[in-house]
Amino acid sequence: MAEKIEFFPLDATYKIDNGKAVIYLYGRTSDGRQISILDSNFEPYFYVIPKDGIDISEKLEKIRIENVNDVSFVAKTETVIKKFLGKEVFAIKVYTNLPSSVPVIKDVIKEWEAIESVHEYDIPFVRRYLIDKNITPLILHQAIGEFANQKSRVAVFKADNIEQVSSDTLHNPKVLAFDIETYSPFDLAIDAEKNPIIMLSFYGENFKKAFVWKRFKTDIDYIEFVDSESELIEKFKEVIESYKPDILTGYFSDGFDLPYIKTRADKYKIKLDIGLDYSELKVKSTRETTVTINGITHLDIFKFIKKVIGGVLETYSYDLNAVASELLGEKKHDVSLADLTNTWDNNHENLEKFCEYNLHDSLLTYNLAVKMLPTIIEMVKIVGIPIYDVNRMGFSQLVEWYIMKQAPQFNEIAPNKPSYDEVQQRRLNTYKGAFVYEPKPGFYKDIVVFDFRSLYPTILSSHNIGTDTINCACCEDIAKATPGDESEKHWFCAKRKGFIPTLIEDLISRRIRIKEIIKQENDEKFAFLDARQNSLKLLANSFYGYLGFFGARWYSIGCARSITAWGRFYIHKVIDKAQKEGFFVLYSDTDSVFLTLDGKSENEAKIFAESINSELPGIMELEYEGFYPSGIFVSAKLSPFGAKKKYALMSQQGTLKIKGFETVRRNWSLIAKDVQEKVLEIILRENDTKKALEYAKNVISDLRNKKIPIEMVVIRTQLQKDILDYAAKGPHVAVAQKLKNKGRSIGPGSIIKYVVTQGNDMIRNRSKLPEDVKEGEYDADYYINNQVIPSVERIFNVLGYKKEDLLEQKEQTKLEGFF
DNA sequence: GAGCATCGGGG
DNA sequence: GTGTACGATGCTC
């Protein structure tokens, strides 16, 4: 007897059962229970485009490849009329017995004489399924079928049919955040093989817990003692099993916490079988490690923040403290982690504050996840891919999968990913980027700022720029060519709308509709509507970069070039007109123009914008961004995918906005890190640039006068391979050799500490072990010019100071002697 | 200036 | 998993 259930899909995987692929969807039912839905009605396939439209189905159907353990064969074929880059093609849809047979068979046939090309052979089976069955994660679906008896932590339902039934969305998945602390001597590399996990904490809604395996006196009720590391790991499993989260989240948990837990669990032969199908947590280690749990979405919130919203954050670092400060207005607890090892060994009655610290990190992670969830959820709904994948995708991937999801509805076959050689070729294709009108560095008053609203997306749409409209045969004579001095001319079809322009127009108009609704909505709905319009904007803005990205399926250098060419054309138009009308143009970058009023009124500036708008095509629009009483400008740096802004504006409220400088890395000396931190603090908190400059100058003069202790000038670098394997010998390699000569065991992973001392030789020959360096022997000039100055130079540049201002010797006279 | 090496996040 | 990896920066040669 068939039953109906309603559920929100969260994640999906597939397994082979009796020689057939079965999709497992995991999610929540509409009444809040976890469930897994099985669907065995989907077959793997790919496309073949034969030469000259000759049907080779019969030949394809005979393919059968037998290996030791398995067999790959073509199950059936269908002939179809599809489109490829806008052109109609005759294609054969080749079904195989298993998903894994697709690449095997594709490799066999790709060189066949009768085949023009092979397509869509590398689409992960689950994604293919979600696209073809039109299943969007997190949206309410109905399944028809029956419950099955199968080993699982949750109910299992075998579906004959699954369909979306409404636009209801799972807005409040159950989130559980966690964090570990490990035993780690602070001047050695983190080593999961050697050092145990000593603390573990969880934070969820109405739930907090901190586990630790040494006892001490405490009144804190969320602290729970266990007796060993292995018991701690068992607690990790127990909490997850009983809390039943939809989402398990950590901060850099892909790269640290979960791989660490896995390594330790392996040591004790503990199975981390927390998957809803009792499968083990899986660590996949390639360039970027990822960790998967069947049925539980593992969200590494650090990765999402860095990849997707990093661009709009002010922070110069993505560590938890900086990110939580900016997004939540809350910091990490101020305890010294370097002290934890010692406290653990010798002082364990004082561990309480570390447990609080540990729990607080889970809390911050939880709050970050909850804060980001609306944006993540909307991105998932737009792109049509589960949270787990969206979490790990960059913008080009998000755009690509958005296009992939739409392609079947336009009957389009996807182009293939470029081969290695093709990528190398494409990397050489550079093109002119945005126009930048360099400002004269300095201080200005009465600034007004104009912005083209979504410049590149609106150009793409208004000029019908796409892979299927570029240089069409039908419009060569009538279409208007791209302006500028391009080596090659491009035009775009004037008769029919392109595939990509249609997609982007859809994104833009959906966003406009939502912004209209937001104006009338209450606060409750505001949060996710705002997240939605923001996700739409992020995605639309990424199309231009995608078209010029060397790894893109729908790569088109001509489209990318045309977009920037039109961008330069329009911004020039604004600049020329502004100058004609008597405004002073002080700075322009990509899509924005900064003018000074030069005696004119703010209203005249607004009227100017209106006159520009009356001449713009399609949905293009110049917006009046705002008025600033004062500001400082520095030159902007260009990159192929857009310009990096570098300026500071003082708003009418007196707040300072600094953009475009980066910070020092871990392998810098403490003095360099220290001075940057202090300078930023003084500028941002006290708004006192003179004081910041004085501070930096004091540090420089202390360096000159050899007042800085050796430990402040130690540089630490990790050895990546054996000393002999280095072709280029950096200072740390030279010092590592010295250590080895002293009989120390040095190898890959060792952290090499060194100090650069005075002399004229190459840096590596002047690099010594800190223990061999006498007080004051360090090379003051090196630390001033290569460490301190670079770490603060950009900051001061933005504020109008020069390197020389920093190097200027301090005046001798101070009146303090008189008092 | 090309080419190689390292970092990030986490403790 | 029918896949795949980045982008910026410093030092040597």
Side-chain angles (χ1 to χ4, degrees), chain A residues 278-458:
Chain A
Y278 291 99
S279 65
E280 286 190 73
L281 165 157
K282 284 181 281 294
V283 178
K284 269 177 246 176
S285 214
T286 49
R287 212 191 64 78
E288 257 180 4
T289 309
T290 53
V291 183
T292 320
I293 306 161
N294 280 355
I296 300 174
T297 296
H298 168 218
L299 177 70
D300 184 343
I301 197 62
F302 154 75
K303 247 179 205 170
F304 182 78
I305 288 171
K306 189 176 171 194
K307 287 190 177 190
V308 177
I309 67 151
V312 296
L313 293 184
E314 297 278 324
T315 180
Y316 49 89
S317 154
Y318 292 104
D319 64 41
L320 180 57
N321 195 44
V323 169
S325 301
E326 181 168 345
L327 286 168
L328 306 171
E330 211 179 334
K331 296 191 152 227
K332 280 171 74 117
H333 280 183
D334 189 16
V335 302
S336 159
L337 268 191
D339 199 30
L340 173 57
T341 317
N342 185 38
T343 308
W344 182 263
D345 285 336
N346 307 315
N347 232 347
H348 63 261
E349 62 278 8
N350 291 341
L351 283 171
E352 187 185 65
K353 63 175 177 182
F354 291 101
C355 288
E356 292 177 274
Y357 166 90
N358 182 218
L359 185 96
H360 189 65
D361 275 5
S362 284
L363 175 146
L364 292 177
T365 304
Y366 176 83
N367 287 341
L368 282 173
V370 167
K371 173 135 192 170
M372 290 298 109
L373 218 43
T375 307
I376 296 171
I377 288 171
E378 295 308 325
M379 199 59 103
V380 163
K381 284 165 60 180
I382 295 165
V383 179
I385 285 207
I387 296 176
Y388 179 87
D389 304 69
V390 162
N391 181 208
R392 286 155 185 81
M393 282 157 56
F395 276 115
S396 56
Q397 293 262 294
L398 290 170
V399 170
E400 186 149 284
W401 284 97
Y402 176 70
I403 303 177
M404 294 290 278
K405 171 102 176 167
Q406 308 302 319
Q409 298 175 37
F410 291 79
N411 204 31
E412 286 276 349
I413 290 182
N416 292 326
K417 279 195 232 169
S419 67
Y420 179 81
D421 290 342
E422 227 170 318
V423 168
Q424 296 309 103
Q425 209 47 48
R426 289 179 181 186
R427 278 174 186 271
L428 303 174
N429 286 338
T430 53
Y431 54 96
K432 229 163 136 184
F435 173 73
V436 178
Y437 184 94
E438 297 278 346
K440 278 205 194 82
F443 189 79
Y444 295 90
K445 290 201 171 235
D446 295 337
I447 299 158
V448 286
V449 180
F450 299 106
D451 266 321
F452 275 105
R453 182 180 54 85
S454 304
L455 178 68
Y456 288 167
T458 57

Side-chain angles (χ1 to χ4, degrees), chain A residues 151-343:
Chain A
K151 195 190 171 198
S152 171
R153 293 184 190 274
V154 299
V156 177
F157 188 87
K158 281 193 176 168
D160 298 321
N161 185 46
I162 300 171
E163 246 168 47
Q164 186 180 326
V165 285
S166 78
S167 59
D168 282 8
T169 300
L170 183 66
H171 279 299
N172 54 347
K174 207 169 172 188
V175 179
L176 180 63
F178 79 106
D179 180 49
I180 61 170
E181 306 302 325
T182 67
Y183 182 90
S184 48
F186 243 65
D187 47 358
L188 296 177
I190 293 176
D191 189 341
E193 287 295 333
K194 274 201 201 109
N195 300 315
I197 301 165
I198 54 184
M199 293 172 182
L200 162 69
S201 69
F202 287 99
Y203 195 93
E205 196 179 5
N206 301 320
F207 182 80
K208 48 184 168 177
K209 210 85 194 165
F211 299 98
V212 55
W213 56 275
K214 276 193 181 177
R215 284 160 200 267
F216 49 87
K217 221 171 137 307
T218 180
D219 296 328
I220 299 174
D221 55 359
Y222 61 74
I223 294 178
E224 190 176 322
F225 298 109
V226 292
D227 289 317
S228 65
E229 187 191 14
S230 59
E231 248 184 74
L232 194 85
I233 295 169
E234 294 291 356
K235 287 290 179 189
F236 173 75
K237 290 174 60 175
E238 279 174 39
V239 169
I240 292 169
E241 279 164 23
S242 62
Y243 193 86
K244 305 189 195 309
D246 295 312
I247 296 175
L248 180 70
T249 185
Y251 200 84
F252 197 46
S253 42
D254 252 349
F256 179 70
D257 301 72
L258 290 178
Y260 208 108
I261 292 172
K262 174 80 166 100
T263 304
R264 300 307 298 176
D266 286 349
K267 271 207 166 350
Y268 301 108
K269 305 223 174 352
I270 298 173
K271 275 181 113 180
L272 294 175
D273 52 353
I274 51 177
L276 297 190
D277 56 355
Y278 291 99
S279 65
E280 286 190 73
L281 165 157
K282 284 181 281 294
V283 178
K284 269 177 246 176
S285 214
T286 49
R287 212 191 64 78
E288 257 180 4
T289 309
T290 53
V291 183
T292 320
I293 306 161
N294 280 355
I296 300 174
T297 296
H298 168 218
L299 177 70
D300 184 343
I301 197 62
F302 154 75
K303 247 179 205 170
F304 182 78
I305 288 171
K306 189 176 171 194
K307 287 190 177 190
V308 177
I309 67 151
V312 296
L313 293 184
E314 297 278 324
T315 180
Y316 49 89
S317 154
Y318 292 104
D319 64 41
L320 180 57
N321 195 44
V323 169
S325 301
E326 181 168 345
L327 286 168
L328 306 171
E330 211 179 334
K331 296 191 152 227
K332 280 171 74 117
H333 280 183
D334 189 16
V335 302
S336 159
L337 268 191
D339 199 30
L340 173 57
T341 317
N342 185 38
T343 308

Side-chain angles (χ1 to χ4, degrees), chain A residues 308 374-383 395 398-399 402 406 454 457 503-515 517-518 528-543:
Chain A
V308 177
T375 307
I376 296 171
I377 288 171
E378 295 308 325
M379 199 59 103
V380 163
K381 284 165 60 180
I382 295 165
V383 179
F395 276 115
L398 290 170
V399 170
Y402 176 70
Q406 308 302 319
S454 304
L503 296 186
I504 213 156
E505 213 161 89
D506 186 45
L507 289 173
I508 294 171
S509 59
R510 274 158 76 187
R511 174 161 187 253
I512 290 170
R513 273 207 304 282
I514 289 164
K515 291 196 92 172
I517 299 170
I518 285 176
F528 74 82
L529 283 174
D530 190 55
R532 167 146 259 218
Q533 67 83 14
N534 196 248
S535 300
L536 288 163
K537 177 184 170 176
L538 288 171
L539 201 63
N541 283 343
S542 307
F543 268 72

Side-chain angles (χ1 to χ4, degrees), chain A residues 103-118:
Chain A
V104 175
I105 291 169
K106 166 241 164 191
D107 278 338
V108 167
I109 64 170
K110 69 175 181 219
E111 303 299 345
W112 280 14
E113 193 53 40
I115 288 177
E116 177 68 36
S117 51
V118 186

Side-chain angles (χ1 to χ4, degrees), chain A residues 801-815:
Chain A
Y801 290 105
K802 285 259 150 33
K803 191 174 165 183
E804 292 74 46
D805 297 324
L806 283 160
L807 286 166
E808 200 174 73
Q809 299 279 349
K810 257 184 83 187
E811 286 164 39
Q812 292 294 313
T813 48
K814 274 268 170 183
L815 294 176

